[in-house]
Amino acid sequence: MMETNVNSTSQLKSSSFRLRSPSLNSVRLRRIFDLFDTNHDELITVDELSRALILLGLDTNMNELDSMINTFIQPGNTGLTFDDFQALHKEIDDLFFRLDDNDDLGNQDEDNDEVNGDKQEEADLTEAFKVFDEDGDGYISATELQTVLVKLGFAEGNEIGRVERMISSVDRNHDGRVDFTEFKDMMRNVIVLK
């Protein structure tokens, strides 16, 4: 297992989708875990995780996924427990969002980090927006939001009225759709900021 140095002076600024509060992060992870655990046996198998990633439109190499996930599954289990899932999340988080002492970025000044963090946040939000904007027209319609919610297994996706209310709650110009600016504002309000 990879060992990382979590020295606060060598950390990158957080990605926009990472919550700043460990307890909120745990709640969010639990909800994701429960969504992936389709048979509700408190374990996420490689097959369940693969199906979830495919539903999200993410290509997965089963051999690589199997290899990575199996390193976190405890002996005697057939899948990831919630604790294993948290350990996997932490490992991925450390790998992609933290610097260790061997990285050569320690000399960047704080202003440069902030600019890079803003660019990364914008890129992350653009990618997230594209997940919902299925037809690529630059707007998220109620139908598109409903499709994604259903794919993710959220009960809210079963009723178009609820989905329309979700859209109207962030639709500032009242055109019945969410544009990228409205989406960014909504995401920034949902995310616990520094």
Side-chain angles (χ1 to χ4, degrees):
M1 184 134 347
M2 174 188 285
E3 209 173 295
T4 58
N5 180 351
V6 198
N7 183 328
S8 63
T9 61
S10 66
Q11 290 182 6
L12 277 177
K13 293 215 183 257
S14 298
S15 164
S16 63
F17 292 108
R18 291 180 51 224
L19 296 174
R20 309 313 192 254
S21 166
S23 63
L24 287 176
N25 216 7
S26 180
V27 169
R28 180 180 70 156
L29 279 175
R30 183 67 213 200
R31 189 165 188 191
I32 293 168
F33 180 88
D34 291 342
L35 285 171
F36 289 175
D37 180 20
T38 56
N39 65 356
H40 310 292
D41 65 352
E42 294 297 315
L43 295 172
I44 299 175
T45 64
V46 173
D47 287 337
E48 286 174 319
L49 186 56
S50 176
R51 280 193 303 269
L53 294 174
I54 289 168
L55 284 173
L56 291 170
L58 302 172
D59 291 328
T60 59
N61 177 315
M62 277 301 287
N63 291 332
E64 289 176 10
L65 184 65
D66 189 54
S67 174
M68 180 175 70
I69 299 305
N70 280 324
T71 63
F72 288 89
I73 295 174
Q74 299 301 312
N77 288 341
T78 58
L80 295 167
T81 64
F82 180 63
D83 289 340
D84 300 336
F85 188 67
Q86 283 184 305
L88 172 65
H89 176 264
K90 182 183 180 329
E91 184 77 17
I92 291 170
D93 184 58
D94 289 347
L95 183 65
F96 289 105
F97 297 110
R98 301 202 192 276
L99 292 175
D100 62 46
D101 289 336
N102 298 325
D103 288 328
D104 192 29
L105 297 175
N107 295 329
Q108 291 181 339
D109 61 32
E110 208 165 296
D111 290 339
N112 195 18
D113 285 347
E114 192 169 314
V115 169
N116 289 336
D118 290 344
K119 286 180 183 177
Q120 184 60 49
E121 178 179 310
E122 187 80 10
D124 289 346
L125 288 171
T126 299
E127 286 304 309
F129 185 81
K130 288 177 183 177
V131 169
F132 293 94
D133 180 20
E134 291 193 324
D135 64 8
D137 68 352
Y139 299 96
I140 301 170
S141 68
T143 304
E144 288 171 318
L145 178 58
Q146 182 179 34
T147 300
V148 174
L149 292 173
V150 168
K151 283 180 183 179
L152 292 173
F154 286 103
E156 292 90 341
N158 295 329
E159 298 175 38
I160 192 66
R162 289 179 80 179
V163 175
E164 288 169 344
R165 286 191 298 278
M166 292 169 82
I167 292 283
S168 68
S169 72
V170 296
D171 179 20
R172 290 194 175 155
N173 64 3
H174 307 291
D175 65 354
R177 307 175 296 180
V178 175
D179 61 32
F180 185 62
T181 301
E182 293 165 336
F183 180 79
K184 284 194 306 187
D185 291 343
M186 184 247 342
M187 290 301 290
R188 287 181 176 140
N189 287 330
V190 169
I191 297 165
V192 178
L193 298 174
K194 306 174 220 162

